[in-house]
Structure formats: C-alpha cells, structure tokens
C-alpha cells in the first residue's frame, strides 16, 4: 500500500486556543520541531490518523488536517512492492513492505537485513488474478484470438522460419498426394503451408463432429405447464440424445489411429515435420524473446498434427467469425515479445533454465576431453566461466528460499556459509593449483579478482543502478543511516585487509633487479627495474616474526567485526532500517503460500549447485594457463574484470531491478554487502585456509590495488553522504570504475606471470 499525503486548502475561520491537554508530548531524545512533526506524520503509515496532532493542522472548529490516504494502483489488490517514503533531513526513512503471504513477507524482510542475500524474484507462486495482463499473456497457450499487425518481429519470423517451413509443408503435401492413401493429410499440409508462411492474423480451429442417432427419445412428461402465467424460458419438449459405443466419437472407427491413411502419415509425414518444428522450437526457446514462435511450433506437433484432417480448420480472422462449436487450437498474432525476460519455469527465470544445459556440456567436455582433442583450453575456460552464472542464480534462489521458510538463526547460517561460496570455490582451486605448480601467477590473479570484486561492488554496481534508475526517476532517495553503517564496516574492512601491505611498505627492504649504471662510473646513477619490498630478508625474520602474525591477527579480527555488525544491525539497532512487513489482506485476495522450492528441495539444489560450481571452478583454473601465458592483456586486467565480475552478474541484475522500482537502498546494499563479505569473510577464509593447506598466499597487495581500493571507498562514502542521488552521481561512479579498468589494462603483468 502506497501512502499519499493530501493537504487540503485551509478555510479562514476564527481559531480558538488549542487545548493544552491535546498538545503532543515532547520526545525526550530529540528536540521538538516542525521537522519532527512532519516525520511523525509521514512515518505513521499504520497508526491512527486521529492521533497525529499538530497545532496548525487539526480539524477542530474550522481547522483542516492533512489526511493520510491509502492509494491503490490496482483496485483489485494491493501492489506488491516496497516503497520508501522520504522525509526531511535528519528523519528516519520508514519502509513499508507488502507481500502476498507470510513466506514472501519474510523474504522481503530478509532483503533489508545486513549479511543476507538480496533477492528480487518471488520464492512463492503469485496468485494468477494478481498478475498484470502483460504477464498473463506470457503464460498463455496461444488459444486466444487477437488481431495482428505488421511488425519487425513478424518479418523476422518470415525471413528466418516462415518461408522454408512453408516450403517443407508443400513438399510433404506432394508426398502425401503421391501415396494416394494420404490424400486427406496432403490437403491438410497444403492448408498449413499457407498458415506457417504467415501465421499472424489466422487461426487454427478444431471443428466438432457429432455422430447422433436419427431418433429422439422424449421423456414421459413432455409437456410442462406454465406456473402463475409466467412464460418459461426452458423448452417445453426436452430432447435426450443417445450415444452408443458405435456412434460415440470416442469409440468411432474413423479415428486417426484406425485409418490406413493415418499409418502413412505417421510413417512419412509426421516425423519429418516434427523434426523441423522441434528444431525451430529449440532455437526460439533459447532466444527467449521469440518464445511465442516456440509455443506455436510445440503446440502444432502435440495438438494440430495429431488430429484427423477433417477436424482441422484454418481461416483468416478478418473474413469469417469463429464458429460457436469450434475450439481454438492456435492463434499467434506476434512472433516477438520483449517482456519474456520475466518468464519463469517453476519459479526459475528462463535465462537460468536455458543456461543449465551449458553447465552439463561444460562438465562433459571438461572431464571427458582432458587432452583437448575436440576443444581448446580457451573454449573450455570460457564455457566454465559462463557456467558459473546460472549456478550462481540457483545458489542465490536456494539461499533465499531456505531463509524465507526458516527462522533467523538458520537464515543467518545459510547466508554466511553459502553466500560467498561462488567466489571462494574459484579462489581456493586457483591457489591449490598455483601451489602444486609452484606458480605465483595464480596468487596474483586471486588478489586481482578480490580487488576487482571490491571495485565493482563499490563503484560499478551502485553506479549502474543509479544511472538506470535515474532514467526513470529524477531523484532517488535511500536510507543514509543504513548505508552509513555499511560504509563504516567497509572502511574498517579495507583498512584491516591492507594493514599488512602498509606494514611491509614501512618496514620492508626495497630490493631491485636488472639495474644498469647510466653514467658508466662506480658511484654513478643506476636505473633499476622489478623493485619490490623483500620480506624474507635474514631468512624471513621480518615476515615470520612480524608480518605473518599481523596477517593472522587481522584475519581473526575482521570476522569478529562482521559478527558485531550483524548484532548491531539485526538486533540492538534494527530500528535503523525501520522495516514494516504486512501481508496483503484485501477482501477475496488472501492466498496461502505456495512455495516454488520447499526447504529440502532448495537444500538439495543448493548442494548440487555448489558441487557444480566447484567442478566449473576447477575447470576454469585448469585451463586458464594458456590465457595467462599467451594473452597480450595484463593479467591484472583479466582478474579485475572477467574473473571478478562474471560471478556477480545475478547480483547486478537484482540491483538494476530494485533501482527501476525506486528502491535504491537495496541496490546500494547489494554492492556494499558483497564488498564487506569480500574483506571480512572471503579474505580471512583464504588466509586461514593456508594453515591447513600450504598455498603460500601472502596478504600483501600491490600498490595499485591499495590505491584503487582506498580511493573507491572514499568516493563511495562521499556520494552516499546525503541520502539521495541521481543519474549524474551514478555516472561519476561508473566513469571512475572505467578509468581504473584502463589503468589495469595498461599496467604491466605482475611478477611471476
């Protein structure tokens, strides 16, 4: 329910003195001001309107008060979205969430909890009557008659599928005529050839054929008297039709499977056409936006081509009307629908469904073709990297489903355990491979990927969401206090992560290699390359005695700070977010929760997706060596861009969807939450992993990583200071991100690569 504050024009009447006993009580924690009273009026979206007293706005003896009126965008049901009501400076922003059921309300509430994965898609099935007409059309069976028009999508169908499919029907029609027995199906194929050349504006119907006896049976009392001289609307003679097994259509010997022509059709015509329709259906389903063409071809194979020829009737909509006894089998009025990106199968987005076979192909090629007989390492690396995207989606939806159906403790454990599993699987497998091959390049790639994830979540994700959201909304507001908490944790985490690096710069010994004497004299000037701070001087005394204990100390303190942040935002100071969740209990619109995935099913999918993620990460690290060795691009750039941002694509999509709904707080929290988890969870886990498995991972970053991360965090904190933003500020963040990418692109490769 969205809240609209309507101020009525005051009428000039004599104003009596306001009773003191009705004066609002002063808040002992803050000064009473007009801003406070305004905040109380705005934020009391669920309270009694009559309890809001203000000296200049009360309807007493001629004074008109502002009324808080609920406004419904759809009178049939309340809207299912969250809307933030901004107030004046210094006021807390209350967010009212409305949901269809308790499970969905729990999921929406988890989105605003620090440390929980933000998930846009529904975890329960939405009631059909609450969906928009656009969404209802996506799930139709193409049996609703609508007028068509000439569009670019329809022309695309004609050029890509229509002409050769129509030609194939003509050839099959000729083949059926040559067999003599298949003449009825030859006529059917001839009619369908014209239909599939341009199916728009045409309809395929199933005409009903009745085999009735000629006689009629009348009831014993065939005359019905009129009562109270009122004319009856029912017929005076009631007719009873009788069917026998010989005359009933369901037992008629003229069914397709009983005819000789049917066997000819099933042997010669139907397999060839089914193969063509199946190919078109597969291609169109993968392209998503032309799924109507896929539905049309699928329904043709399963319905139209299996009917007796005399029951299939093709007609143009503009010439004749639909007969009353005819069933509409197929009516496609457009080939392309841009809204099919919203299409879901069992709650799973269609893009994730289409990318799932890619995971299977990747695993089969990766482990069956170990010697690269059929594909190269570059192809396998690309497939493994692309397979991470759908697996990340399944992991995210499984986490959201389990959290929405469980209590707070279970949700927190699941989010903390599996929230970073996508990145950790790749980082750990890369470090293990580098330790086995004694190659320091894998360690540098992991550090670049960690830095790239931090930069992308701090600059690119919120900046892109601001730009896209700013196109629809002129100015967007967000909860500056919640963003301030995330920014403070981010400052703490970045300082802790780079503390060993700064320590090594201060106390380490600068060692340079490849030095040349420019003046050709012993005390002359030298030009050196490959300079670095040596931590292993005197048998590693500096590192083992000072740097390594500092690294382990920081790795223990950062998770402790993360836990304190959880307690602060979720328990002791949960009013910072001020979230109110309520179910939509409109009359006649209360529905029980029908979850897409139960807890056990979500847990099983989570475990399977995690195993698949581990396998794909193993394949990616196995076949990344040729790319690192033969690429002309800096390895820093590969780690900062491809390895860092590809696993975060589902999060980017969620952030964009939240921004388009004017919910920028969640868009910002998505990036901040990932960045905090990188510094406070992922990096400490990698450091502590070296205790059990020696990977030689040293928490000392290059100067470029340190400066880029520090500058990004400072810039983000400056942008988020006032609690409002527009597309210009988002453009600044995105441009800074691209400038840093250019720096990494032209930077030399790290040592050891």
């Amino acid at each position: 329910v969205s809240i609209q504050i309507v101020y009525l024009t005051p009428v000039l009447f004599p104003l009596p003195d306001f009773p003191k006993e009705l004066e609002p009580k002063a808040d002992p924690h803050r000064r009473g001001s007009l801003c406070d009273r305004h905040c109380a009026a705005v934020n009391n979206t669920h309270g009694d309107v009559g309890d809001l007293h203000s000296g200049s706005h009360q309807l007493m003896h001629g004074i008109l008060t502002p009324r808080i009126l609920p406004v419904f965008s759809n009178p049939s049901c309340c809207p299912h979205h969250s809307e933030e009501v901004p107030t004046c400076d210094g006021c807390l922003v209350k967010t009212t969430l409305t949901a269809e059921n308790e499970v969905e309300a729990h999921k929406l509430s988890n989105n605003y909890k620090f440390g929980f994965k933000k998930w846009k898609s529904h975890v329960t099935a939405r009631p059909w009557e609450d969906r928009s007409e656009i969404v209802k059309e996506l799930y139709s069976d193409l049996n609703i008659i609508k007028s068509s028009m000439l569009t670019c999508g329809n022309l695309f169908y004609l050029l890509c599928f229509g002409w050769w499919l129509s030609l194939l029907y003509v050839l099959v029609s000729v083949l059926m005529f040559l067999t003599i027995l298949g003449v009825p199906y030859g006529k059917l194929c001839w009619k369908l050839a014209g239909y599939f050349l341009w199916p728009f504006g045409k309809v395929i119907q199933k005409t009903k054929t009745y085999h009735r006896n000629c006689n009629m049976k009348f009831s014993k009392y065939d005359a019905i008297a009129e009562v109270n001289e009122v004319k009856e609307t029912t017929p005076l003679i009631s007719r009873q039709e009788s069917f026998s097994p010989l005359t009933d259509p369901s037992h008629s010997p003229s069914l397709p499977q009983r005819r000789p022509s049917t066997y000819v059709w099933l042997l010669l015509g139907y397999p060839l056409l089914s193969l063509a329709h199946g190919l078109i259906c597969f291609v169109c389903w993968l392209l998503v936006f032309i799924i109507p063409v896929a539905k049309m071809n699928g329904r043709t194979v399963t319905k139209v081509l299996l009917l007796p020829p005399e029951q299939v009737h093709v007609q143009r909509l503009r010439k004749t009307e639909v007969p009353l006894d005819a069933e509409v089998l197929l009516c496609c009025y457009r080939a392309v629908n841009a809204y099919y990106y919203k299409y879901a199968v069992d709650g799973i987005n269609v893009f994730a469904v289409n990318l799932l076979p890619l995971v299977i192909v990747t695993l089969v090629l990766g482990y069956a073709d170990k010697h690269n007989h059929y594909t190269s390492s570059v192809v396998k690396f690309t497939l493994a990297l692309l397979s991470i995207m759908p697996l990340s989606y399944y992991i995210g939806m499984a986490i959201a489903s389990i959290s929405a159906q469980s209590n707070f403790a279970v949700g927190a454990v699941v989010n903390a355990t599996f929230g970073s599993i996508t990145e950790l699987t790749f980082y750990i497998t890369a470090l293990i491979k580098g330790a086995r091959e004694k190659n320091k390049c894998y360690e540098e790639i992991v550090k670049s990927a960690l830095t790239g994830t931090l930069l992308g979540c701090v600059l690119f994700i919120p900046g892109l969401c601001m730009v896209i959201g700013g196109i629809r909304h002129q100015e967007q507001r967000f909860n500056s206090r919640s963003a301030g908490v995330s920014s403070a944790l981010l400052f703490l985490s970045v300082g802790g992560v780079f503390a060993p690096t700064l320590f090594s710069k201060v106390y380490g010994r600068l060692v340079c290699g490849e030095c040349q004497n420019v003046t050709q004299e012993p005390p002359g000037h030298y030009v050196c390359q490959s300079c670095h701070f040596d931590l292993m001087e005197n048998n590693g005394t500096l590192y083992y005695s000072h740097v390594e204990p500092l690294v382990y100390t920081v790795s223990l303190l950062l998770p402790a700070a993360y836990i304190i942040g959880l307690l602060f935002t979720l328990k002791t100071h949960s009013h910072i977010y001020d979230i109110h969740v309520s179910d939509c209990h409109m009359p006649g619109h209360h529905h029980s929760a029908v979850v897409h995935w139960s807890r056990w099913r979500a847990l099983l999918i989570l475990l399977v997706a995690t195993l698949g993620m581990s396998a794909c990460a193993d394949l990616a690290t196995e076949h990344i060596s040729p790319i690192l060795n033969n690429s002309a691009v800096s390895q820093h750039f590969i780690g900062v861009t491809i390895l860092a941002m590809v696993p975060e694509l589902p999060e980017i999509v969620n952030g964009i969807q939240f921004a388009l709904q004017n919910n920028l707080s969640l868009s910002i929290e998505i990036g901040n939450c990932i960045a905090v988890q990188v510094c406070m969870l992922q990096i400490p886990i990698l450091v502590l992993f070296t205790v059990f498995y020696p990977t030689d991972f040293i928490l000392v970053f290059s100067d470029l990583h340190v400066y880029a991360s520090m500058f990004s965090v400072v810039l983000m904190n400056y942008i988020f200071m006032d609690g409002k933003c527009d597309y210009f500020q988002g453009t600044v963040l995105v441009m800074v991100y691209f400038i840093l990418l250019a720096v990494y692109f032209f930077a030399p490769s790290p040592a050891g690569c």
Side-chain angles (χ1 to χ4, degrees), residues 688-713:
L688 297 177
F689 179 76
T690 59
V691 178
F692 304 97
Y693 190 94
T695 59
D696 299 330
F697 179 73
I698 301 176
L699 196 62
V700 176
F701 292 81
S702 66
D703 294 346
L704 180 58
H705 295 330
V706 176
Y707 299 148
S709 301
M710 292 289 189
F711 176 73
S712 300
V713 173

Side-chain angles (χ1 to χ4, degrees), residues 489 492 553-567 680-681 684:
L489 286 175
L492 171 63
T553 303
V554 170
S555 300
L556 294 176
L557 291 177
L558 289 179
Y562 184 79
I563 296 175
I564 295 174
L566 289 177
L567 295 176
M680 291 191 166
L681 290 181

Side-chain angles (χ1 to χ4, degrees), residues 527-580:
V527 176
C528 301
Q529 298 179 357
S530 302
C531 296
H532 64 280
F533 288 92
D534 187 13
L535 303 179
M536 298 298 178
E537 185 183 9
N538 297 327
N539 297 324
T541 304
L542 177 64
Y543 177 75
Y544 292 111
S545 301
H546 302 279
V547 178
E548 189 177 44
L550 176 61
V551 170
Y552 289 140
T553 303
V554 170
S555 300
L556 294 176
L557 291 177
L558 289 179
Y562 184 79
I563 296 175
I564 295 174
L566 289 177
L567 295 176
F568 178 81
T569 55
L570 302 181
K571 292 295 182 182
T572 61
H573 289 69
S574 59
H575 62 275
I576 291 176
Y577 297 95
D578 215 350
I579 305 300
H580 299 273

Side-chain angles (χ1 to χ4, degrees), residues 164-235:
W164 65 266
L165 186 60
S166 177
L167 180 61
L168 180 62
Y169 267 93
V170 171
L171 296 178
V172 174
S173 175
V174 173
L175 179 62
M176 290 294 102
F177 278 114
L178 292 178
T179 59
I180 308 251
L181 293 177
V183 169
Y185 287 96
K187 295 179 180 179
L188 173 63
C189 291
W190 183 262
K191 292 188 297 183
L192 293 179
Y195 175 82
F196 284 106
L197 179 64
W198 186 265
F200 316 106
K202 301 176 184 177
V203 61
I204 298 179
Q205 299 169 280
K206 176 185 177 182
T207 58
K208 298 179 181 179
T209 57
Y210 299 97
H211 302 274
R212 299 186 179 90
N213 292 336
C214 295
N215 59 337
M216 293 185 181
K217 293 183 179 181
F218 298 94
S219 61
K220 182 178 180 181
Y221 303 99
D222 53 359
I224 303 176
E226 295 184 2
V227 181
N228 296 331
E229 298 181 356
V230 178
K231 187 176 181 180
E232 296 285 346
T233 58
T234 58

Side-chain angles (χ1 to χ4, degrees), residues 385-587:
L385 208 60
L386 293 177
S387 300
I388 292 178
M389 291 189 294
L391 292 176
S392 300
Y393 176 89
Y394 285 102
I395 291 175
M397 185 169 181
I399 292 175
S401 299
I402 295 174
S403 301
Q405 302 174 66
S406 306
N407 54 26
F408 166 76
V410 175
V413 171
V414 171
N415 279 271
T417 306
F418 293 93
S420 302
I421 197 68
T422 303
E423 299 84 357
L424 285 176
T425 51
F426 175 77
Y427 299 153
I428 291 176
T429 52
L431 291 177
I432 292 176
K433 183 175 176 60
R436 290 176 180 176
E437 297 181 358
K438 304 297 181 180
N439 190 350
K440 297 290 292 183
C441 188
Y442 288 94
E443 179 185 351
E444 296 298 329
I445 287 295
V446 170
K447 292 179 181 178
S448 298
L450 289 170
T451 307
T453 304
L454 180 63
L455 298 179
C457 295
V458 170
L459 297 177
F460 183 69
I461 293 180
L464 183 63
C465 294
M466 289 180 187
V467 172
I468 296 179
I471 296 176
R472 177 177 295 185
H473 309 282
Q474 185 176 7
E475 184 179 76
Q476 292 183 292
R477 293 177 178 266
F478 54 90
N479 194 332
S480 59
R481 287 203 64 185
S482 62
V485 173
S486 300
S487 299
L489 286 175
L490 194 57
F491 265 115
L492 171 63
S493 59
V494 169
V497 166
F498 294 119
T501 304
L502 299 177
F503 185 88
S504 65
K505 304 298 182 186
V506 175
Y507 295 102
R509 180 185 177 186
L510 185 62
V511 177
C512 298
E514 302 178 6
C515 296
Q516 295 180 357
N517 191 346
V518 180
T519 59
Q520 301 297 330
E521 296 179 1
H525 298 282
Y526 289 83
V527 176
C528 301
Q529 298 179 357
S530 302
C531 296
H532 64 280
F533 288 92
D534 187 13
L535 303 179
M536 298 298 178
E537 185 183 9
N538 297 327
N539 297 324
T541 304
L542 177 64
Y543 177 75
Y544 292 111
S545 301
H546 302 279
V547 178
E548 189 177 44
L550 176 61
V551 170
Y552 289 140
T553 303
V554 170
S555 300
L556 294 176
L557 291 177
L558 289 179
Y562 184 79
I563 296 175
I564 295 174
L566 289 177
L567 295 176
F568 178 81
T569 55
L570 302 181
K571 292 295 182 182
T572 61
H573 289 69
S574 59
H575 62 275
I576 291 176
Y577 297 95
D578 215 350
I579 305 300
H580 299 273
V581 182
S582 61
D583 296 342
C584 177
H585 297 308
M586 293 294 293

Side-chain angles (χ1 to χ4, degrees), residues 561-635:
Y562 184 79
I563 296 175
I564 295 174
L566 289 177
L567 295 176
F568 178 81
T569 55
L570 302 181
K571 292 295 182 182
T572 61
H573 289 69
S574 59
H575 62 275
I576 291 176
Y577 297 95
D578 215 350
I579 305 300
H580 299 273
V581 182
S582 61
D583 296 342
C584 177
H585 297 308
M586 293 294 293
H589 287 84
H590 178 67
H591 303 274
S592 59
V594 180
V595 294
H596 293 303
W597 296 354
S598 63
R599 277 179 291 187
W600 289 109
R601 182 183 179 185
L603 180 60
L604 178 62
I605 294 176
L606 179 60
L607 295 177
V608 173
T610 303
L611 292 177
M613 180 72 68
S614 302
C616 291
D618 179 65
L619 292 176
T621 55
E622 184 71 24
H623 298 281
I624 196 176
S625 299
I627 298 177
L628 298 179
N629 297 331
N630 302 325
S631 177
V633 182
S634 173
Q635 283 79 0

